[in-house]
């Protein structure tokens, strides 16, 4: 699987989705893929970021990390997209980045790739599934291949989300990832790398 190229592209305001993205990147590398970990740019005004200590701290901690560009999707065989939930939908930051991909979409450069998503909410029924489904609507327009984890591993019966991987951060928005989420993230990364590898091998045959 060393020739499988995976891009993990995400937005995170206070760090949870960032931690999920890093775990996915590590698991994909362990599965043998070449991995890019890319953050989409922040759009929120400075006063909004400053109003939340955790948001402000995470912004400062990650402001110099590599930012996503269209080639991160074009050159990938598989793309993992992460976002916190915003009213049951994807964040404006990730949506803005996706909205810049019109030239690549119109040339078919985003099609025939493996895609999967991950998200986080403060509450257990805070829109995790609707966020991932909204994300996948975009993937259908790309002509991408959604490789959701389903219940293809015992870990999925623990984390309980067949659409992707999600985490509940709790009322203080600070509950860390646990072994349950780590196992689910590792499984999704392995599955995406495996399926992307099969598709790539089949295309080359």
């Amino acid at each position: 699987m060393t020739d499988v190229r995976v891009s993990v592209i995400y937005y995170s305001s206070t760090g949870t989705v960032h931690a999920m993205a890093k775990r996915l990147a590590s698991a994909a590398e362990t599965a043998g893929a070449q991995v890019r970990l890319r953050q989409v740019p922040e759009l929120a005004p400075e006063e909004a970021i400053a109003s939340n200590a955790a948001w402000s701290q995470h912004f400062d901690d990650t402001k110099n990390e590599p930012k996503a560009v269209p080639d991160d999707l074009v050159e990938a065989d598989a793309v993992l997209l992460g976002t916190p939930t915003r009213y049951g939908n994807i964040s404006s930051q990730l949506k803005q980045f996706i909205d810049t991909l019109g030239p690549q979409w119109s040339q078919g450069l985003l099609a025939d790739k493996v895609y999967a998503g991950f998200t986080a909410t403060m509450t257990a029924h805070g829109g995790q599934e609707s966020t991932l489904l909204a994300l996948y609507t975009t993937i259908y327009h790309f002509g991408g291949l959604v490789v959701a984890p389903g219940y293809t591993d015992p870990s999925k019966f623990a984390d309980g989300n067949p659409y992707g991987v999600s985490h509940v951060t709790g009322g203080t928005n600070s509950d860390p990832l646990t072994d349950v989420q780590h196992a689910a993230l590792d499984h999704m990364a392995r599955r995406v790398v495996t399926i992307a590898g099969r598709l790539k091998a089949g295309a080359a045959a």
Side-chain angles (χ1 to χ4, degrees):
M1 297 298 177
T2 54
D3 60 342
V4 173
R5 295 165 298 183
V6 174
S7 288
V8 182
I9 298 173
Y10 74 96
Y11 171 72
S12 183
S13 56
T14 59
T16 297
V17 177
H18 173 72
M20 297 173 80
K22 289 175 62 178
R23 182 75 184 203
L24 285 165
S26 177
E29 287 181 345
T30 299
Q34 302 173 36
V35 179
R36 296 183 188 186
L37 178 62
R38 298 289 186 266
Q39 179 189 63
V40 301
E42 180 60 82
L43 299 177
E46 292 182 4
E47 57 269 24
I49 298 171
S51 70
N52 182 314
W55 191 358
S56 181
Q57 182 65 56
H58 183 68
F59 176 77
D60 287 340
D61 289 345
T62 62
K63 62 185 177 183
N64 294 322
E65 290 198 359
K67 298 301 184 284
V69 296
D71 278 353
D72 292 323
L73 282 84
V74 171
E75 297 175 7
D77 302 304
V79 181
L80 293 163
L81 294 165
T83 175
T85 288
R86 293 292 183 262
Y87 308 112
N89 212 318
I90 68 175
S91 65
S92 59
Q93 289 86 347
L94 182 62
K95 182 62 165 59
Q96 169 67 16
F97 173 72
I98 289 172
D99 285 348
T100 69
L101 300 175
Q104 293 74 28
W105 164 79
S106 66
Q107 298 175 67
L109 299 176
L110 307 179
D112 304 329
K113 303 176 186 293
V114 167
Y115 293 85
F118 55 105
T119 190
T121 60
M122 291 180 67
T123 58
H125 300 284
Q128 293 176 348
E129 293 177 356
S130 63
T131 297
L132 294 172
L133 290 171
L135 175 63
Y136 294 159
T137 297
T138 297
I139 304 312
Y140 302 143
H141 281 257
F142 287 174
L145 307 171
V146 174
V147 178
Y151 291 102
T152 56
D153 186 82
S155 65
K156 297 307 297 177
F157 291 93
D159 101 300
N161 190 337
Y163 300 94
V165 179
S166 55
H167 176 56
V168 178
T169 61
T172 60
N173 199 30
S174 60
D175 290 354
L177 302 177
T178 71
D179 289 345
V180 170
Q181 288 78 45
H182 287 159
L185 290 162
D186 292 351
H187 171 64
M188 187 165 76
R190 289 192 302 267
R191 178 171 164 79
V192 161
V193 171
T194 298
I195 300 301
R198 290 176 184 171
L199 291 170
K200 192 167 187 177

